[in-house]
Amino acid sequence: MNKAKASSEKSVSASSRTISLLSQLEKINSDSVLGESDSARHVTSRILHLVQSQEKTRKEMTSKGSTGIEIILSTLENTRDPQTILNILNILIEIVSVGGGRRASVLVTKGGTQILLQLLLTASKDSPPNEELMVLLHTLLAKVGPKDKKIGVKARINGVLNISLNLVKHNLQNHRLVLPCLQVLRVYSTNSVNAVSLGKNGVVELMFKIIGPFSKRNTSLMKVALDTLAALLKSKTNARRAVDRGYVQALITIYVDWHRHDSRHRYMLIRKGVLQCIKSVTNIKLGRKAFIDANGMKILYNTSQECLAVRTLDPLVNTSSLIMRKCFPKNRLPLPTIKSAFHFQLPVIPASGPVAQLYNLPPDVDDVVDESDDNDDAETESEIETEIDDDKDQHFKNDDIETDINKLKPRQELGRSIEELKMYEQFFPELSENFQEWDLVSKEPKPFVPDANLSGPIVVPTASEEHSAEAKPSTKGIALKECSPLLTEEYNRRPVFLELPKKDNMKSSSLHQQNDQRNMLPSCQCLSQEIVKGLDRISLQNSAKNDQYYGTGCVVEKESKAGITTLASSKPFEHVSPCGGSLFEGSSVQLGKLCCTGVDSEEEEDSRSSSSGEHATLQISDVSPVHDCDLYLEMVKNTKSIPEYSEVAYPDYFGHIPPPFKEPILERRYGVQRTKICQDIERLIYQNDIIDRVVYDLDNSSFSVPEEADVLKFNSKFESGNLRKVIQIRKNEYDLILNSDINSNHYHQWFYFEVSGMKTGIGYRFNIINCEKSNSQFNYGMQPLMYSVQEALRCRPCWTRVGTDICYYKNHFSRSSIAAGGQKGKSYYTITFTVTFQHKEDVCYFAYHYPYTYSTLKMHLRKLESMHNPQQIYFRHDVLCKTLAGNSCPLVTITAMPESNYYEHIYQFRNRPYIFLSARVHPGETNASWVMKGTLEYLMSNSPNAQSLRESYIFKIIPMLNPDGVINGNHRCSLSGEDLNRQWQNPNPDLHPTIYHAKGLLQYLAAIKRLPLVYCDYHGHSRKKNVFMYGCSIKETMWHTSVNAASCDLMEDPAYRALPKILSHTAPAFCMGSCSFVVEKSKESTARVVVWREIGVQRSYTMESTLCGCDQGKYKVLH
């Protein structure tokens, strides 16, 4: 019979046997007959055998639809037989030991955690408790617990917290039992209430008994004990208890012992476990102080330096760095105030908001005070080498998405009466122009024609790639070398003015007062070396201070041509050659003291001069057709800055061309950020090595530039410049502090400054220490820009990407709560980069991005206006309004002239749809201006596509919405101290005149039923790559929320996606995947949303251009 039975069992599949055994076990449970314990014991032992021997059985018991786990748990809950319990526990351990966490999760969902905790409570009442049962129970709880988020609460409610703790206390030498008990305590301790409760019962002291003193015995037990201790010390109460008992010193000692004895690095997990304990205890102020007092900074610094040579020890180095950064004493920013170094009194003080708070601060308040000690918990950092871009635009927060459909639906609200809006009629003469006084067919059209053979201005994705070099006004007798035969050709090709009869308001009267000969002469002035050697910087003499002008009304006036700029400096330069004196003919010229020494004699062979007797020359073909050095100086003279700048930056004066080579995104060297942080930590450890000398200070009016030869000289006192203070830290290392936006105490990101007095072959480290954004593209390949005057004089006037060892990280300078919007303990961030200069005693300029000043814009507009053919292109340059500082906000109109003055052609001209473009509302986003420059040049070109656009649309363009912010080197705000792109809902005509009147133009178009087909606001993005757009869509907004029911019935024209889609197919830098059409609450007062919602423009966009480069398409990995 037994043989037959065995044969029968072999023929049955394993699956059938499992099902059969589970059925038997279920029947035993339901019968509950006395004496069935033997049967349960027998069945569970057979199931255990199958589970141990066959993976298929384990899968079947946890598969979807299987009742195996329920049957097993039901038996465990009901049986009282010790052996059956042990069998079932072993079955469950086998099931959850493999297959990842999914099987443990199945056990949790079936109520397994509660049953196990009840069994633990019951088993603890036995005296003495069954050791085997306790080992198995704790082993299973340790595996299941991490998958049950509520296990801590369940353990506390069931009263089992101290059972595991008491088992450890009474069985310290029984490592087989202590190990799983510690694992369960680690799980319990993830709940802060449990951690405090266990701490009161002596668990912290118990852990230190296990982990010390140093011993290589039972390392697995020590590892678990350290993990448990690290979890316990995350509780402030337990951390304070550890500090009070001197355990911080003990942890440092233990770490040093393991570091010294683990020469083969076999116990890295234990060493990291000790560091995790130190990391947890230093989350509190007392812990950080105890760490410093125990000389922890120097110890961890030295041990981490010894680990650098072994790559596998990087986790130890990284954790040590995190601890040292956290414990580095927070310093106050070395400034008298975090408010801007420049003051501008507002005509109206806002009733509320940050600006109102700023003005209401008592004068004696210390707004730079270090309040970091008030914050007990230090901010947690991510691992050093795995920073994650936390760009909030990438992942929308549901609570920031507008879910009220009534608010989302566009509703045309003019907000101003028709009578009031009539003031804007004067900006739309094209709607009433009849051209009867124009001879529209008398001559061949001759617009400005960029030549494809000549290089030109910086090429941007939206600009035409065909630009020419245009001849610029020069002066008599300048030492010029015609280094290209194209000069004469360009001279002859240049279009001349067509003297046609026209209305006064079509052209600026001042434009016709320009000297015709001046307009025909070449624009590139290549200075003789004698003049160059005397050139330090160009400055403007302030003959009379301009009174502040508060103009908020609309002003219809043309930009009048400024008088000849007067140059001045500290003393006349006596060695100027006769021919050089005519550089600024008609001006009083005095060149500054010798600083820039021109072309280095020892590097003469590298320059483009073929002999010492030749002057430095610049290829005429390289000069931008819209750059004019003399005209730039004239524009600067009428630019009103709050500091009343008297100097002009050389790159802005001389201009620049694109570098002749591709500039790839920098590949970051491994460990560079860690290295920089270690060097910062050395400041605390080796304080005697720190110079700590101020070498530039805008706050100190009596500050004089150091004269020492080995100290760099800095300057930012020019248009768009931003650098407030410089402190020399080491011989070749400098901390740089940026100026906040005027009438603000933050927004530090844009920088633009001059450096001189350098030597070659030396790596100079620059640290910009008061940035605020939590991450930057400087961590992902972006490099700062540098312009070398020496290179410019060698016919290479380029802004180039420079710098090595670049990174962006949180530093040890504390932001006050006033600067951090009420939050305490926030830190500033550092941009650090190292530069080795090519030329001795050069004058170099550094910038966050390619600078584009307000004076540059005025110059470009003037040049475009002078070059266009009025027979073919209708071009107007109006002044929309005056800014707070009295600068003009330009308004440009571009379209094609009508074919004739016949009615049909005039009708077509007047009824072309409007395209409304704006840019540079944020001063630090200079790339927006370069994209706008490309747009303007393209629209003014003779490209067939450009001509077609002009014939189809009327372009209304505000190329710079925030002139004051641009002029004064702000990053985000205007002089009102507010982000103008958050003022579109209710702009104040006194505080936000450019926004008030820009919105007024759009409201006027809406009132006369001429809504723009497209509105697009150009921006720059600091944390994303590529070019992309933000638009507005009700449906796509609703898709990102849980409120989908109402959106199902919405009908929405998908035309808002058309323009981005077209760009994604035509512009290599454009990325459709980065576009978003979600309307967020925090963006409801931006131009894009207000123009869409209130004005009713469906195709209302923000176009973002990266400040870094591309990660896709034709320009992938290029800046």
Side-chain angles (χ1 to χ4, degrees):
M1 286 293 293
N2 291 337
K3 287 183 180 181
K5 186 176 181 181
S7 176
S8 174
E9 287 181 355
K10 287 181 181 179
S11 64
V12 179
S13 67
S15 175
S16 301
R17 279 185 289 171
T18 304
I19 295 172
S20 174
L21 290 171
L22 289 173
S23 298
Q24 293 179 40
L25 190 59
E26 186 178 20
K27 184 178 180 182
I28 293 171
N29 290 338
S30 60
D31 291 345
S32 299
V33 181
L34 293 175
E36 290 294 331
S37 58
D38 289 342
S39 301
R41 192 182 308 134
H42 175 70
V43 172
T44 53
S45 66
R46 294 181 63 189
I47 295 174
L48 176 60
H49 174 72
L50 287 174
V51 168
Q52 289 175 333
S53 59
Q54 298 180 8
E55 168 62 18
K56 184 178 180 181
T57 303
R58 296 192 288 270
K59 286 183 178 179
E60 286 176 357
M61 293 190 68
T62 55
S63 62
K64 190 174 182 180
S66 172
T67 59
I69 293 296
E70 288 98 323
I71 296 171
I72 292 293
L73 289 176
S74 175
T75 306
L76 180 63
E77 188 175 18
N78 296 322
T79 187
R80 296 293 178 268
D81 179 54
Q83 188 58 49
T84 302
I85 293 174
L86 294 177
N87 287 344
I88 292 175
L89 291 176
N90 277 307
I91 291 171
L92 294 175
I93 290 172
E94 289 291 335
I95 290 173
V96 300
S97 292
V98 292
R102 190 191 67 82
R103 294 179 184 177
S105 299
V106 171
L107 195 59
V108 171
T109 58
K110 304 296 184 182
T113 308
Q114 182 66 30
I115 293 172
L116 293 174
L117 292 174
Q118 282 291 336
L119 181 59
L120 178 60
L121 182 63
T122 302
S124 67
K125 297 176 182 177
D126 296 340
S127 184
N130 186 321
E131 179 181 326
E132 183 66 21
L133 177 59
M134 286 298 181
V135 170
L136 293 177
L137 261 176
H138 282 87
T139 301
L140 188 56
L141 279 170
K143 293 179 180 297
V144 174
K147 294 298 177 182
D148 190 345
K149 295 180 180 178
K150 296 184 178 180
I151 189 171
V153 177
K154 292 176 182 177
R156 190 166 64 251
I157 292 174
N158 284 281
V160 300
L161 276 182
N162 291 321
I163 294 175
S164 303
L165 178 58
N166 291 329
L167 283 172
V168 175
K169 284 181 178 179
H170 298 117
N171 298 275
L172 275 177
Q173 303 307 315
N174 187 346
H175 298 156
R176 180 171 177 267
L177 175 60
V178 169
L179 183 62
C181 289
L182 288 176
Q183 292 172 333
V184 172
L185 287 175
R186 179 180 58 191
V187 174
Y188 291 163
S189 299
T190 55
N191 181 285
S192 58
V193 177
N194 290 351
V196 173
S197 177
L198 291 168
K200 290 179 180 178
N201 290 310
V203 68
V204 174
E205 293 81 357
L206 182 62
M207 292 302 105
F208 275 94
K209 287 183 180 179
I210 297 174
I211 66 174
F214 169 79
S215 172
K216 288 188 178 180
R217 296 179 182 178
N218 304 312
T219 53
S220 58
L221 181 66
M222 185 172 185
K223 174 66 179 67
V224 176
L226 287 168
D227 290 345
T228 306
L229 181 60
L232 288 164
L233 292 177
K234 288 180 180 179
S235 157
K236 294 181 185 179
T237 305
N238 290 339
R240 291 191 193 101
R241 182 176 287 107
V243 172
D244 292 342
R245 286 162 175 73
Y247 290 149
V248 174
Q249 176 70 65
L251 285 170
I252 294 173
T253 302
I254 291 171
Y255 181 72
V256 172
D257 286 341
W258 278 99
H259 175 78
R260 289 173 178 171
H261 291 91
D262 185 24
S263 56
R264 297 187 179 182
H265 314 303
R266 295 178 178 176
Y267 303 102
M268 191 184 73
L269 292 179
I270 290 179
R271 293 160 67 179
K272 187 175 180 181
V274 179
L275 289 175
Q276 291 293 343
C277 293
I278 298 174
K279 182 182 173 184
S280 294
V281 78
T282 51
N283 278 338
I284 64 170
K285 177 178 59 179
L286 289 174
R288 295 192 289 274
K289 184 178 183 302
F291 178 80
I292 295 293
D293 293 344
N295 202 23
M297 292 290 284
K298 189 169 185 178
I299 291 172
L300 282 197
Y301 173 81
N302 291 333
T303 54
S304 61
Q305 291 300 302
E306 293 171 9
C307 294
L308 287 175
V310 184
R311 188 72 174 265
T312 56
L313 298 181
D314 277 355
L316 301 182
V317 178
N318 291 342
T319 307
S320 296
S321 295
L322 290 175
I323 295 169
M324 288 187 286
R325 289 175 69 184
K326 182 166 52 177
C327 295
F328 200 117
K330 293 290 183 182
N331 295 340
R332 63 175 284 149
L333 210 58
L335 292 174
T337 175
I338 52 174
K339 290 184 289 187
S340 174
F342 309 130
H343 177 68
F344 178 81
Q345 182 63 42
L346 294 175
V348 178
I349 307 300
S352 60
V355 180
Q357 294 174 8
L358 202 69
Y359 271 83
N360 292 329
L361 280 176
D364 57 343
V365 168
D366 182 3
D367 60 355
V368 199
V369 63
D370 176 14
E371 300 163 313
S372 57
D373 282 346
D374 294 333
N375 182 28
D376 243 3
D377 290 306
E379 297 174 53
T380 304
E381 298 269 355
S382 59
E383 288 298 323
I384 292 177
E385 292 301 328
T386 58
E387 301 99 339
I388 299 173
D389 189 348
D390 57 351
D391 189 346
K392 295 181 182 178
D393 293 324
Q394 189 95 21
H395 306 286
F396 298 104
K397 295 182 178 179
N398 282 333
D399 58 358
D400 191 34
I401 298 178
E402 183 58 75
T403 58
D404 187 339
I405 293 183
N406 293 324
K407 290 184 178 180
L408 282 173
K409 288 181 178 178
R411 57 192 187 283
Q412 200 173 85
E413 297 178 353
L414 296 183
R416 297 161 71 178
S417 67
I418 300 296
E419 291 300 318
E420 186 181 356
L421 290 174
K422 281 185 178 178
M423 66 189 296
Y424 298 105
E425 183 178 359
Q426 55 197 324
F427 294 106
F428 299 91
E430 65 271 9
L431 297 179
S432 57
E433 177 67 73
N434 57 25
F435 296 97
Q436 296 307 308
E437 299 179 19
W438 286 77
D439 182 6
L440 296 177
V441 293
S442 62
K443 288 184 180 287
E444 181 83 15
K446 289 185 179 180
F448 160 55
V449 182
D451 190 272
N453 298 321
L454 302 178
S455 62
I458 291 178
V459 178
V460 292
T462 57
S464 169
E465 294 185 2
E466 298 179 345
H467 293 283
S468 74
E470 192 274 328
K472 172 195 176 271
S474 183
T475 52
K476 307 171 190 174
I478 290 298
L480 280 175
K481 177 184 176 183
E482 292 188 15
C483 37
S484 171
L486 294 173
L487 175 60
T488 306
E489 180 184 348
E490 172 65 11
Y491 177 90
N492 293 328
R493 180 169 53 245
R494 175 151 183 221
V496 297
F497 285 112
L498 299 176
E499 296 297 335
L500 301 175
K502 49 190 167 296
K503 290 188 176 182
D504 292 340
N505 65 354
M506 275 298 295
K507 296 289 293 176
S508 170
S509 60
S510 64
L511 197 58
H512 299 294
Q513 297 170 7
Q514 293 181 348
N515 186 295
D516 289 340
Q517 181 181 2
R518 176 188 176 118
N519 286 325
M520 301 292 292
L521 290 176
S523 66
C524 172
Q525 292 139 340
C526 299
L527 308 181
S528 69
Q529 291 185 31
E530 291 176 331
I531 296 177
V532 167
K533 289 179 179 179
L535 180 62
D536 178 8
R537 63 174 66 92
I538 304 159
S539 60
L540 298 171
Q541 179 177 330
N542 293 325
S543 55
K545 293 186 177 179
N546 296 317
D547 295 329
Q548 281 191 349
Y549 175 78
Y550 301 110
T552 59
C554 290
V555 183
V556 182
E557 68 180 50
K558 304 299 178 185
E559 292 281 2
S560 62
K561 180 173 178 177
I564 303 297
T565 302
T566 302
L567 301 178
S569 69
S570 58
K571 62 178 182 179
F573 184 67
E574 300 174 356
H575 305 291
V576 180
S577 64
C579 67
S582 62
L583 173 60
F584 305 105
E585 184 175 353
S587 306
S588 172
V589 180
Q590 293 178 330
L591 296 178
K593 64 181 180 180
L594 184 65
C595 175
C596 172
T597 58
V599 180
D600 295 337
S601 57
E602 65 270 19
E603 297 175 351
E604 197 71 33
E605 64 276 6
D606 295 331
S607 72
R608 296 187 183 181
S609 298
S610 58
S611 69
S612 59
E614 293 180 336
H615 299 304
T617 60
L618 183 65
Q619 295 289 339
I620 297 299
S621 62
D622 286 340
V623 179
S624 169
V626 291
H627 191 89
D628 182 325
C629 301
D630 288 348
L631 180 58
Y632 183 81
L633 293 180
E634 294 177 14
M635 296 298 102
V636 169
K637 186 175 181 181
N638 289 327
T639 296
K640 300 173 183 177
S641 63
I642 303 308
E644 298 182 334
Y645 291 128
S646 61
E647 300 172 9
V648 177
Y650 192 88
D652 302 324
Y653 161 74
F654 195 73
H656 67 280
I657 60 173
F661 46 83
K662 294 181 179 179
E663 294 185 298
I665 292 174
L666 184 68
E667 185 175 345
R668 180 157 144 173
R669 183 170 59 84
Y670 180 82
V672 61
Q673 180 169 307
R674 186 176 62 196
T675 302
K676 296 295 183 182
I677 292 169
C678 285
Q679 290 174 2
D680 288 351
I681 291 168
E682 289 172 1
R683 298 189 188 189
L684 181 68
I685 299 173
Y686 306 110
Q687 296 184 19
N688 293 334
D689 296 341
I690 304 303
I691 299 173
D692 198 28
R693 176 190 181 187
V694 177
V695 296
Y696 182 72
D697 192 356
L698 281 184
D699 293 288
N700 185 357
S701 58
S702 61
F703 182 82
S704 59
V705 178
E707 297 297 331
E708 289 86 342
D710 59 345
V711 177
L712 294 180
K713 282 76 176 176
F714 294 83
N715 180 43
S716 63
K717 297 175 183 177
F718 45 80
E719 186 177 349
S720 293
N722 191 318
L723 180 64
R724 181 172 187 169
K725 190 172 186 176
V726 181
I727 302 171
Q728 185 180 17
I729 300 301
R730 299 180 178 93
K731 183 178 180 181
N732 300 314
E733 181 179 354
Y734 297 83
D735 279 358
L736 282 60
I737 301 175
L738 304 180
N739 196 21
S740 60
D741 288 2
I742 294 175
N743 277 316
S744 171
N745 54 24
H746 53 303
Y747 298 119
H748 308 95
Q749 206 78 19
W750 166 256
F751 57 86
Y752 183 20
F753 56 89
E754 172 194 295
V755 179
S756 59
M758 66 284 292
K759 296 179 180 179
T760 58
I762 296 174
Y764 292 92
R765 177 181 172 183
F766 300 97
N767 311 307
I768 300 174
I769 63 173
N770 63 329
C771 299
E772 295 174 351
K773 289 190 176 182
S774 58
N775 211 338
S776 168
Q777 282 294 317
F778 283 113
N779 273 336
Y780 305 99
M782 180 171 163
Q783 294 174 276
L785 285 150
M786 188 185 82
Y787 185 104
S788 165
V789 174
Q790 288 273 10
E791 285 293 298
L793 300 176
R794 287 172 163 77
C795 310
R796 297 187 289 270
C798 302
W799 281 100
T800 55
R801 300 280 181 174
V802 298
T804 58
D805 295 345
I806 301 172
C807 53
Y808 186 95
Y809 59 90
K810 185 180 293 185
N811 61 33
H812 59 277
F813 291 102
S814 176
R815 271 193 278 176
S816 66
S817 60
I818 297 174
Q823 300 181 60
K824 295 182 178 181
K826 300 286 283 184
S827 295
Y828 286 105
Y829 290 77
T830 291
I831 300 170
T832 181
F833 56 93
T834 301
V835 176
T836 302
F837 296 98
Q838 297 182 24
H839 306 289
K840 181 181 178 182
E841 297 297 327
D842 197 357
V843 176
C844 293
Y845 293 80
F846 290 92
Y848 183 64
H849 197 69
Y850 300 96
Y852 191 101
T853 65
Y854 172 67
S855 298
T856 299
L857 172 65
K858 292 195 295 181
M859 175 191 67
H860 285 165
L861 292 179
R862 180 72 67 84
K863 294 294 289 185
L864 287 174
E865 191 171 12
S866 69
M867 291 179 200
H868 89 284
N869 183 347
Q871 261 201 330
Q872 185 173 358
I873 301 177
Y874 181 98
F875 180 93
R876 280 182 58 87
H877 175 197
D878 295 314
V879 175
L880 176 63
C881 63
K882 292 289 187 178
T883 65
L884 289 177
N887 293 293
S888 301
C889 179
L891 172 65
V892 175
T893 306
I894 300 175
T895 189
M897 292 291 284
E899 292 183 27
S900 73
N901 51 18
Y902 293 123
Y903 172 78
E904 292 82 359
H905 291 149
I906 300 299
Y907 179 83
Q908 190 275 341
F909 173 87
R910 292 178 180 176
N911 285 277
R912 293 169 186 167
Y914 276 95
I915 304 290
F916 204 109
L917 306 176
S918 60
R920 205 67 184 281
V921 70
H922 295 146
E925 297 169 6
T926 58
N927 49 352
S929 281
W930 288 108
V931 175
M932 179 57 77
K933 176 179 179 287
T935 301
L936 289 168
E937 289 179 357
Y938 183 77
L939 291 175
M940 296 289 285
S941 73
N942 71 334
S943 161
N945 288 336
Q947 178 66 21
S948 177
L949 287 171
R950 291 194 299 267
E951 292 171 353
S952 303
Y953 305 103
I954 300 173
F955 291 87
K956 281 288 180 186
I957 301 172
I958 306 177
M960 191 171 286
L961 279 166
N962 191 353
D964 289 346
V966 172
I967 292 166
N968 294 287
N970 285 6
H971 175 68
R972 189 85 175 176
C973 302
S974 70
L975 294 185
S976 70
E978 297 167 298
D979 181 348
L980 291 183
N981 202 36
R982 296 297 186 275
Q983 310 303 323
W984 278 78
Q985 276 185 322
N986 297 294
N988 185 309
D990 296 317
L991 294 175
H992 325 116
T994 60
I995 304 302
Y996 180 82
H997 295 300
K999 186 176 181 181
L1001 293 176
L1002 290 158
Q1003 289 171 323
Y1004 175 77
L1005 287 175
I1008 63 173
K1009 310 302 181 186
R1010 293 295 302 272
L1011 275 180
L1013 180 67
V1014 171
Y1015 171 76
C1016 189
D1017 191 22
Y1018 293 6
H1019 284 254
H1021 207 288
S1022 66
R1023 292 190 285 184
K1024 281 187 178 182
K1025 290 183 171 67
N1026 309 311
V1027 180
F1028 52 94
M1029 278 181 158
Y1030 293 133
C1032 301
S1033 164
I1034 301 176
K1035 274 203 168 185
E1036 295 201 31
T1037 301
M1038 303 306 293
W1039 289 342
H1040 283 85
T1041 70
S1042 57
V1043 188
N1044 287 320
S1047 64
C1048 296
D1049 301 328
L1050 286 174
M1051 298 297 292
E1052 187 175 42
D1053 186 350
Y1056 63 88
R1057 277 184 166 265
L1059 182 58
K1061 199 71 176 176
I1062 292 169
L1063 288 173
S1064 69
H1065 290 297
T1066 58
F1070 195 88
C1071 177
M1072 190 69 187
S1074 296
C1075 294
S1076 171
F1077 304 93
V1078 173
V1079 179
E1080 298 163 277
K1081 295 177 184 177
S1082 60
K1083 305 293 177 63
E1084 288 182 342
S1085 57
T1086 61
R1088 163 178 62 99
V1089 177
V1090 171
V1091 173
W1092 170 73
R1093 180 181 292 167
E1094 295 183 19
I1095 309 298
V1097 179
Q1098 185 186 16
R1099 299 173 182 84
S1100 179
Y1101 306 101
T1102 298
M1103 185 168 73
E1104 301 275 2
S1105 302
T1106 180
L1107 288 161
C1108 178
C1110 297
D1111 58 11
Q1112 56 143 45
K1114 178 181 177 180
Y1115 303 116
K1116 186 175 182 180
V1117 306
L1118 293 177
H1119 271 298

